[in-house]
Amino acid sequence: MLRRRVLAAGAAVLMGACLPAMAQNYRAEYRLSTVLGTAFPWGQAGERWAELVKEKTQGRIVIKLYPGTSLVGGDQTREFTAIRQGTIDLAIGSTINWSPQVKELNLFALPFLMPDYKAIDALTQGEVGKELFSILEKREVVPLAWGENGFREMSNSKKDITSPADMKGLKFRLVGSPLFLETFSALGANPTQMSWADTQAALSSGAVDGQENPLSVFTAAKLSTIGQKHLTLWHYVADPLIFVVNKDVWASWTPADREAVRQAALQAGKENVEKARKGIAGGDNEVLKQIEAGGVKVTSLSDAQRDAFVKATRPVYEKWAKQIGEPLVKKAEAAIAKR
Ligand code: X2X
């Protein structure tokens, strides 16, 4: 009897010692970085992840959304470094913005690698996706799930574009790694690198003529109202999003809470992909109709027209396949061929 009481008291002391210690490791709030805000599927994914985490951890983990990559002053290509350094606790980032630090993520920006949505899925949901996650783990972030920004279509304020020759001399705003600049240079355009934070003003003032972004971004950012009246659907690249957590933050959580955060990311990612494709994919043209209603001339390319863009950018593809790593690129090409 006495022994049992001593044991019970001992257990109570132990629990008393452990519980506050565990709670102390948890911060009142964790900072989640995204480029786009809640008017866009990307920012909505951030909101949803936070909501699901709160629900699944019974409020133990509270996440605050920082859109506009505001934790790095809007400089989206510095986001990955800030996650590693702990200025950012969690992020949903585009492969484009992290590719300056993680060269393998340039894979998705190889021009015309992915012809359709099935091709994106064949990469993110297959062996290539796993390999990229293990590369990210080696770079000391914890990758949890894939989302999607989308196929990036080209718009400009000057003219309809049906061939690389039409792009000659047009000034395009681009972001990310030199691969983008080289692709647009190969097409004869005049590319300039700029963060999203500066892009709308640059388009409005005419400092740049064009840009490339998914249709969901084109509509939510109302680019047709700032002169972007010519849109070419060329599906040249697509950028998936990746849900990650800083590794020290991850280690500070209990295994059960880590699993809750992972499941929340997987669910928010799945919903995000559906949202990013809504009105765009699978014969549903709602978004395109909306864009045309805004006075935008939408140009689709014939196979022959598209081939001219493929051919012009092929040397860039081949050069960058080597930089990314031929085995990974070959694996991606094989997964797409088998889709
Ligand atoms: O800056 C862009 O173009 C955007 C919003 O699509 C990305 O962050 C890659």
Side-chain angles (χ1 to χ4, degrees):
M1 185 66 190
L2 180 67
R3 195 164 164 255
R4 211 184 290 156
R5 224 182 279 152
V6 169
L7 272 180
V13 167
L14 259 180
M15 277 176 66
C18 286
L19 274 179
M22 208 178 81
Q24 265 169 22
N25 286 337
Y26 279 44
R27 285 196 237 130
E29 204 166 79
Y30 295 91
R31 292 157 303 193
L32 166 60
S33 175
T34 59
V35 176
L36 299 176
T38 53
F40 303 80
W42 188 344
Q44 288 155 13
E47 227 173 23
R48 183 72 177 131
W49 192 17
E51 176 184 273
L52 287 167
V53 165
K54 192 168 177 191
E55 196 179 293
K56 288 180 193 290
T57 64
Q58 284 88 40
R60 282 185 299 278
I61 297 176
V62 177
I63 293 172
K64 181 166 184 222
L65 181 64
Y66 288 82
T69 351
S70 55
L71 296 167
V72 282
D75 188 352
Q76 64 216 63
T77 52
R78 277 178 36 218
E79 188 181 52
F80 188 76
T81 307
I83 302 160
R84 295 190 63 191
Q85 291 171 343
T87 317
I88 292 172
D89 300 316
L90 309 96
I92 306 174
S94 160
T95 51
I96 299 175
N97 297 327
W98 298 353
S99 62
Q101 287 86 32
V102 188
K103 70 173 177 11
E104 292 85 353
L105 293 181
N106 279 298
L107 178 71
F108 300 99
L110 282 177
F112 304 102
L113 167 68
M114 298 174 291
D116 50 32
Y117 286 102
K118 277 194 179 143
I120 305 178
D121 295 340
L123 300 189
T124 59
Q125 306 307 311
E127 284 308 309
V128 168
K130 283 195 195 120
E131 187 168 332
L132 290 170
F133 272 18
S134 80
I135 289 166
L136 288 172
E137 273 157 21
K138 283 188 200 109
R139 304 296 298 276
E140 301 182 319
V141 303
V142 182
L144 299 177
W146 294 94
E148 188 160 293
N149 196 19
F151 272 111
R152 301 179 70 88
E153 315 296 3
M154 157 169 62
S155 73
N156 80 92
S157 59
K158 298 275 197 236
K159 56 175 152 175
D160 297 340
I161 293 175
T162 57
S163 73
D166 295 329
M167 294 170 73
K168 196 169 166 51
L170 286 187
K171 198 159 181 184
F172 279 91
R173 171 272 172 176
L174 304 170
V175 70
S177 85
L179 167 51
F180 281 82
L181 296 175
E182 288 177 30
T183 299
F184 274 68
S185 295
L187 291 165
N190 178 9
T192 181
Q193 190 167 0
M194 190 183 291
S195 69
W196 175 252
D198 298 327
T199 298
Q200 275 149 297
L203 291 169
S204 287
S205 71
V208 296
D209 305 312
Q211 63 86 46
E212 45 77 66
N213 249 297
L215 298 182
S216 63
V217 177
F218 187 90
T219 47
K222 303 189 172 62
L223 296 187
S224 68
T225 65
I226 50 172
Q228 294 294 292
K229 295 293 190 194
H230 309 268
L231 180 68
T232 296
L233 306 178
W234 63 340
H235 322 311
Y236 85 125
V237 302
D239 54 329
L241 302 177
I242 307 179
F243 291 60
V244 302
V245 180
N246 164 280
K247 91 170 185 340
D248 296 330
V249 168
W250 182 254
S252 74
W253 292 335
T254 63
D257 281 345
R258 284 180 214 157
E259 189 50 28
V261 173
R262 182 194 303 282
Q263 291 307 325
L266 287 167
Q267 189 175 330
K270 188 167 168 276
E271 291 174 12
N272 168 242
V273 171
E274 282 161 14
K275 215 176 239 181
R277 295 180 188 183
K278 195 166 179 291
I280 295 172
D284 176 0
N285 280 337
E286 201 42 49
V287 170
L288 274 181
K289 281 194 209 132
Q290 209 180 309
I291 290 172
E292 278 175 332
V296 176
K297 173 73 194 305
V298 177
T299 301
S300 294
L301 299 177
S302 67
D303 288 347
Q305 284 171 331
R306 186 175 173 277
D307 278 350
F309 290 94
V310 176
K311 229 179 242 136
T313 54
R314 194 64 203 178
V316 180
Y317 184 110
E318 275 156 17
K319 176 184 164 192
W320 277 82
K322 289 197 190 78
Q323 306 214 19
I324 291 162
E326 300 267 18
L328 180 63
V329 175
K330 289 264 164 333
K331 202 187 266 185
E333 288 169 343
I336 291 168
K338 257 199 356 232
R339 77 192 183 281

